[in-house]
Amino acid sequence: MGDDWADPVAAVTRRDVLRLFSAGMMANVLSGCRHDWPPPGKCEVPYPIIDVHCHFFNAADVPVAGVVRYLALREGAPDKKTSKLIKGLAVVLVVALADVAPEAKDELAVLRKRARRFSEAELARRRDEQLYKAMEVLIELANGERSASEFLQPSTADRSDFELLLSELADHANLPRNFQKGLGGASDEDIDAIVEAAKNHDIIGVYVRFVQLMQDYRKDLAESYLRIYRSQCSALSLITPSILDFDKWIPGKASPQRDQINVMHEMQQVVAKEHGVHMHSFVSFDPLREAWDPGSSLKNVKYAIMCKGFIGVKLYPPMGFMAIGNTRSGIDAALKRLYKWCCENDVPIMAHAENSLGARCGNGNLASPQHWRELLKFDRYKNLRMNLAHFGGFDENRRQGEETGVLVNCIQDKFSGPPSWEQIIGETIHDDRRLNLYADLSYLSELVSTTSTGLHYDIRKRLNAWLRAYDPDARHLMFGTDWSMMSRERNYNNYVPRMVDGLAQAGVSDNHRQNILWRNASRFLGLDRPGPTRDRITAYCKEYELGTDWLSALAIA
């Protein structure tokens, strides 16, 4: 694309300064060749739960450099040393991610029993071999034998960053620091020790384990999710994971959208038949792809929704576009084609709506709900059902004037409220009477990953005040986990019970908690009543023998 990125990522949010930098918080995410998940929390509720926002994609589904910069390495560094370690680690992880995660077409062949899947031992060996190669590259980088630009463009890491990273790992492996004098001077045993040190390091290990998690089969990611969240809440009835489409915006390649759609189609059947949880996915729409090749991205949307049991469309504005009013040629026309088709076919749209993770400095602000407010003023879009995802941190008020980026200064990404984005959403729902506008509470990590009772109280207080002011019947907030992104958090295995308890402590009544945990999602998705969405899902479930009784439980009088 020729766009310059802020390095490592410009838009970092409230969640980024709260996560990852505590010893061992994810020490059990991956161990050896098997997932060793922590025990799930308990959550007993006598009604369904719908997770309206989660993900099962792996590293083959998004550009590798994007995975590292955009997903894995977006956390704030607490000190200069850690910042230097992370800058060096960014390049190493690009190498570590290469050529291991199964591509969508290969997993599709496995799911259709046309190919053999790798065993857990084989996958673990492939991960470790690639990590071994990454450590060989680290030694070469530290010795000035290679350039970081070979692996990550652009990169601000220099030789001193790699020297520091290698010395840090050597110390943890109890190796003499001078062993890295040329790759030939490092034995296989030395590099093996560095690999193990990287896995077990309090900070570096978090990144390594998350990257290795991203190398899994998508089906394994889904089943890991179910082991954690289904076991703690047997009432979990429906999950709606999203696939992504980033490769026109960030460097690298990804599994074609059609292949990803077909994989999720097969997984929807497996999850329902083997686990009793219904799964209907969100397909990504990229307006840039659509602008360059009119009809291409919309064709994938129609295929997924009309033929493969998908239930909605996912948009990701921080890649580089707004809901409306874009100056880049063709973007608005592409979005309008999508909006028109969704209105005509009763298809819901979910959009990332947090000032975070922009592909360029300043792009996080493109996700502002103000842009969606402007769109919904058009009469032809008044019936568009929208979910503005990642509600609930109130950053623009709590962190007014702070930069969203922690490792990188980007004045365009400063929190500029009040009003908070939550307030804008509230005013759009209440004052503008946009009754089809929703927001989800996915990745509300402040109520899970931190031990700050003061922060917990403040978030609950703000949430209670928001409901009283804008949504007294609690008809517009929805529950979501944002798995597998949530796997980076301390206590992520307790997310469901923590959220249920947090809502109760925020003064939300049981009846209104039911709205948030399932009724609102049923309304947003179009499953609460007879109509095109319910008809499509019913037909799909009948065709693939998935049962339809569960739909009756989601009907709302």
Side-chain angles (χ1 to χ4, degrees), residues 411-472:
I411 194 168
Q412 296 98 314
D413 285 319
K414 283 187 176 181
F415 293 116
S416 56
S420 69
W421 286 18
E422 290 84 357
Q423 181 180 338
I424 296 171
I425 293 172
E427 290 174 351
T428 308
I429 291 168
H430 184 270
D431 299 351
D432 300 354
R433 298 196 59 76
R434 306 303 176 201
L435 303 183
N436 289 321
L437 181 62
Y438 297 83
D440 74 46
L441 297 167
S442 62
Y443 215 134
L444 189 58
S445 59
E446 291 86 346
L447 296 183
V448 178
S449 63
T450 91
T451 57
S452 171
T453 56
L455 180 59
H456 294 172
Y457 174 79
D458 184 59
I459 294 293
R460 292 195 301 264
K461 179 181 177 181
R462 292 176 186 272
L463 180 60
N464 181 281
W466 186 91
L467 286 166
R468 290 199 313 271
Y470 303 115
D471 191 17

Side-chain angles (χ1 to χ4, degrees), residues 259-290:
D259 290 345
Q260 294 187 50
I261 291 167
N262 289 333
V263 165
M264 298 300 279
H265 161 64
E266 296 292 337
M267 285 173 54
Q268 287 168 173
Q269 299 170 60
V270 170
V271 168
K273 291 177 179 178
E274 296 185 3
H275 300 279
V277 175
H278 290 270
M279 170 178 153
H280 295 279
S281 308
F282 274 70
V283 60
S284 182
F285 178 84
D286 178 10
L288 183 57
R289 185 184 299 279
E290 180 75 9

Side-chain angles (χ1 to χ4, degrees), residues 280-314:
H280 295 279
S281 308
F282 274 70
V283 60
S284 182
F285 178 84
D286 178 10
L288 183 57
R289 185 184 299 279
E290 180 75 9
W292 285 358
D293 183 8
S296 58
S297 194
L298 188 56
K299 184 178 180 179
N300 283 331
V301 167
K302 293 177 179 179
Y303 172 72
I305 299 290
M306 296 302 191
C307 304
K308 297 300 177 182
F310 278 54
I311 202 165
V313 179
K314 177 71 180 284

